[in-house]
Amino acid sequence: LKMLRRCAAVIASCRAMASIAATCQHVEVLVVGGGPSGILLSLLLSGYKGFAKSAPHPDAEVARRLQNVNFAVPVTDWDLAKVARGLQGRANNEICVLLDQLHLPSAESVHGHPSMLDMRRVATDAVPHLVVTDTVGGMWDAMNGTWATLSPGSWMQLPGWSLDAFLSSTGGTAKTQT
């Protein structure tokens, strides 16, 4: 029964998308879903790019690797494979480790450091797109209230957009369980 309801919801969403698409201007990309991936994809399609701060990185190895990068261009324009080669961390992919170290320097230490990334909009890189969803939050919107993220909430935020600031502006609070 649960699966049938979900199928009916998907069919209704598809009909709604067709109706929306018929009345919208031309868009190059249709993003289906408003979960974390859809929200991030929309941000990137809007022209936002991650730029690394030129401040010294707290990890000596990462700091050494950043000595020869161009901080004036987005991180995605760097030779990421070269800069990340051999890095080890919380991911199996070296580039993911590098991006993690830029976004959450020393995240697993008790001191943690602020993100070394700034999100800046490059309007000329924006791609016309439309996000179609019935709820924002994706599968997290349907999670039982007792479920919690396995990571600290601050790890879920984007560079330049503080989760605490958002919650304060909306009257929300972050719940912590140990």
Side-chain angles (χ1 to χ4, degrees):
L1 184 61
K2 212 175 194 183
M3 183 62 99
L4 275 161
R5 285 184 184 149
R6 183 68 189 137
C7 288
V10 169
I11 291 168
S13 292
C14 289
R15 287 184 182 143
M17 283 188 266
S19 173
I20 290 169
T23 60
C24 287
Q25 296 177 334
H26 170 77
V27 293
E28 293 183 29
V29 177
L30 179 66
V31 178
V32 179
S37 297
I39 293 168
L40 178 60
L41 181 57
S42 178
L43 181 74
L44 297 174
L45 289 169
S46 295
Y48 281 89
K49 305 274 183 176
F51 288 82
K53 298 174 184 175
S54 59
H57 194 283
D59 181 282
E61 177 60 22
V62 176
R64 183 186 66 74
R65 291 164 181 267
L66 297 177
Q67 288 177 343
N68 297 318
V69 300
N70 182 353
F71 291 98
V73 300
V75 170
T76 51
D77 289 352
W78 295 356
D79 183 349
L80 291 172
K82 180 180 176 185
V83 177
R85 189 168 293 119
L87 280 179
Q88 296 180 342
R90 296 184 302 167
N92 293 327
N93 182 301
E94 297 165 335
I95 294 173
C96 291
V97 173
L98 174 64
L99 295 175
D100 186 48
Q101 280 290 329
L102 291 173
H103 177 47
L104 302 164
S106 306
E108 295 184 17
S109 78
V110 294
H111 301 293
H113 294 275
S115 178
M116 296 197 63
L117 290 175
D118 280 324
M119 296 299 283
R120 299 182 206 155
R121 187 160 190 266
V122 180
T124 55
D125 288 347
V127 176
H129 68 285
L130 176 67
V131 179
V132 180
T133 185
D134 54 350
T135 61
V136 175
M139 67 180 274
W140 288 104
D141 188 55
M143 289 290 174
N144 180 311
T146 62
W147 283 54
T149 177
L150 299 175
S151 304
S154 62
W155 289 7
M156 303 294 117
Q157 62 195 10
L158 294 169
W161 285 285
S162 159
L163 181 60
D164 289 335
F166 169 76
L167 291 172
S168 295
S169 72
T170 61
T173 59
K175 296 177 184 167
T176 314
Q177 292 181 347
T178 55

